[in-house]
Amino acid sequence: MVFTPADVNIARVQTQLETLSQFGRQPSGGVTRYTFSPEHVQATNQTADWMNRAGLTVGYDRWGNLIGRTRQDGRLVLSGSHLDSVPNGGNYDGVLGVIAALEAVTMILERGLTTQKPLGVISFIEEEGARFHGLMGSKLAVGRMSADEIAALQDRAGVRYEDALSQIRFSYPATDMDYQAGIDAFLELHIEQGKRLETAGMPVGVVTSIAGPNFMQVAITGQADHAGATEYEDRHDSLLAAAEFIVALREMAVERFTGRGHMTVGRIEAQPNVTNVVAGKTIFSVDYRAADEQTADEMTVGIHDLLREICARQRVTFETALVHQTAPVPAADRLRAAYEQGAKDAGVPYQHVVSWAAHDAMNMAVVSDAAMLFIPCRDGRSHTPEEYAKPEDIAAGIAVLANAMVALAG
Ligand SMILES: [Zn+2]
């Protein structure tokens, strides 16, 4: 029993996308939907209604995530994403993953198929981190936050997450969800947020791994001196060393890590940051992310090699601190295989891609096999009102997702 893109009710999908885009619509055409804002609750309750109408048992877990499932017993083959957005974001990031999962399960149910394992659809709260904390709904679900950390979560206005949660009136009852043992597979469809699929003319990308972001802080210490009176050979210019490093980092990233990782200096601060003073100290960030752990290790070594060489030459010293480290998450082999077979069955061409952005699937991989499926988005753009995915690519992605879910659920 296979689904092809023609089996997808694309009119229904587009109506649902259009309906959700009204919740939090900005004058610019973008969407602002912060977690637990009235717009977010409306969008989530609306989605819950659609799940209910499709025949799913619907409820909210203790964190505020929305779940619908075909049966209560057994380990779930679960798919979904998130309905919260960045400020003035688009209408596909996250939303499409929820609606795609709903459509896939609806197609399966409408065809009268019963699966050995139950099927589920989920919408996580607070993936974007625009209000409380990034990837929060899935992080809470899989038990990656302590009670103290949860109690400390608050938005910029000082509203605590736990207080905001307790004040919401969801339109469906609370549900018990055993994330630790209750999930057999987690599948997430998402727009690519890059241009590789679009450039290649591929409707679908099977994600091989989700890159893990690492944030390093580098402090270069030299000596503050008079910018006019100090000869070049006497200077210990921390900002000059940082500038050399930034250029060298890019060269290294392109030469050694193309296709395997990305490296970026995005923030810099010179001290004393005064026009007529050689910078005594310069602090900057390095964001580096790799498709696999070995590459991440090579990058860490590469960064230090560059710093040693440049700082010795500029007669300055350096210190590094890894502020944040996330290991890359490889896709579970059997899920990847299910996507690939699902694409072949659907007659949909695909290619392998790395996810360079973080997603809820990274957290779900802690408790379950997890793997992502990408579809192209126009010009690779996301987190903007211009975000757009073509209906034919959406249909292709949903057909592949539905085939994978059927295969995995048996
Ligand atoms: Zn997203």
Side-chain angles (χ1 to χ4, degrees), residues 321-333:
L322 206 48
V323 184
H324 175 88
Q325 186 176 24
T326 311
V329 177
D333 286 341

Side-chain angles (χ1 to χ4, degrees), residues 81-82 84 92-95 127-128 188 190-191 193 358-360 383:
S81 193
H82 59 96
D84 65 306
Y92 295 85
D93 182 345
V95 180
E127 192 272 349
E128 300 288 5
E188 183 174 3
H190 206 281
I191 54 170
Q193 304 178 283
H359 293 285
D360 287 316
H383 289 188

